[in-house]
Amino acid sequence: MSKTIPLIAGQFYHIYNRGNNGEDLFCEPCNYAYFFELYIRHVYPLVETFAYCLMRNHFHLLVRPRTDLTGFQNLSGLGASSGLDEPNYSQHFSNLFNAYTKALNKAYQRSGNLFERPFKRILVDSDRYLIHLLCYIHRNPQKHSFCDDFRDYPYSSYRAIVQDKNTRVMRAEVLSWFGSFKAFEEYHAQFDEQQIQHLIEDDC
């Protein structure tokens, strides 16, 4: 399921990856902040972001490549500058990972790849899968014992959705999938990851 497939505008994708040879991706809090900074620079203008979770040695994203890229034509890799009908969305993710790797290599005196290649992507092809995946992503830190309660984890989109603050996550659309804020919380609380485990080829 995680074979290299093209990222197509208007489709939902589960993007995930882990450190090369099990290596940590994030060594201290400032690393998470810098990854988000690079994400906003390289990827955010081209995709709608519905969920994310960054953990010490792996990450998960739920995104939908944008169909309306008016105003973004000057970004490298877009169709307007390359002669293609659509941007090379995968290249922009690769640019993010390469930029982050370069920065960590310099900061921690390391060399070589930081992420496994190619990064993994799965097409989300049903509404049921979409909702299950979103809950799975939010609950992942608790599953892997990075926290006692996924609701308190600082590097996932769960708190961005439940808190009434400005966010780049598509909060309103996410909540509309569940029908209400209360239903969103209850679904997460009762979610059984076995509902989606067969769809995750090699969970990090």
Side-chain angles (χ1 to χ4, degrees):
M1 286 188 296
S2 63
K3 67 180 180 180
T4 303
I5 59 174
L7 302 181
I8 300 172
Q11 302 292 320
F12 286 97
Y13 294 91
H14 179 198
I15 307 291
Y16 63 107
N17 209 350
R18 56 189 166 198
N20 197 33
N21 297 318
E23 186 173 354
D24 284 350
L25 300 173
F26 308 102
C27 303
E28 51 187 323
C30 64
N31 300 152
Y32 296 92
Y34 188 61
F35 185 92
F36 281 127
E37 180 182 327
L38 292 176
Y39 182 85
I40 292 168
R41 184 186 309 171
H42 291 284
V43 175
Y44 174 74
L46 298 173
V47 305
E48 295 167 315
T49 306
F50 294 87
Y52 64 81
C53 189
L54 308 184
M55 287 157 284
R56 188 176 66 237
N57 58 1
H58 68 288
F59 69 85
H60 294 274
L61 303 167
L62 174 57
V63 303
R64 181 173 62 193
R66 297 178 183 272
T67 56
D68 180 6
L69 292 170
T70 302
F72 299 121
Q73 288 87 347
N74 292 329
L75 288 174
S76 62
L78 289 185
S81 60
S82 65
L84 300 175
D85 293 332
E86 285 192 349
N88 185 343
Y89 298 102
S90 294
Q91 184 60 54
H92 285 267
F93 277 100
S94 294
N95 292 346
L96 159 66
F97 304 141
N98 290 337
Y100 184 77
T101 297
K102 182 177 180 180
L104 254 70
N105 283 354
K106 181 178 180 180
Y108 298 101
Q109 292 78 53
R110 69 177 303 278
S111 61
N113 296 336
L114 179 62
F115 297 90
E116 291 187 349
R117 295 183 177 180
F119 68 88
K120 301 172 179 65
R121 75 290 299 272
I122 300 176
L123 175 67
V124 181
D125 55 5
S126 73
D127 291 343
R128 184 178 179 83
Y129 183 8
L130 186 65
I131 291 175
H132 286 175
L133 177 60
L134 183 125
C135 291
Y136 176 85
I137 289 173
H138 287 156
R139 292 182 60 92
N140 215 241
Q142 184 174 325
K143 172 184 177 180
H144 292 288
S145 301
F146 290 123
C147 65
D148 293 327
D149 188 332
F150 71 92
R151 300 170 186 86
D152 299 326
Y153 190 69
Y155 308 116
S156 91
S157 52
Y158 183 85
R159 295 202 301 185
I161 292 171
V162 300
Q163 295 176 351
D164 187 19
K165 297 180 179 179
N166 290 335
T167 178
R168 289 182 169 86
V169 176
M170 304 294 288
R171 177 199 288 133
E173 187 167 347
V174 167
L175 291 176
S176 73
W177 299 344
F178 295 87
S180 69
F181 178 80
K182 182 179 180 180
F184 172 86
E185 290 187 306
E186 290 178 347
Y187 201 96
H188 277 74
Q190 68 183 7
F191 179 69
D192 178 3
E193 69 181 41
Q194 295 303 316
Q195 298 176 89
I196 196 174
Q197 196 63 53
H198 66 291
L199 296 172
I200 307 297
E201 182 182 61
D202 49 357
D203 182 32
C204 303

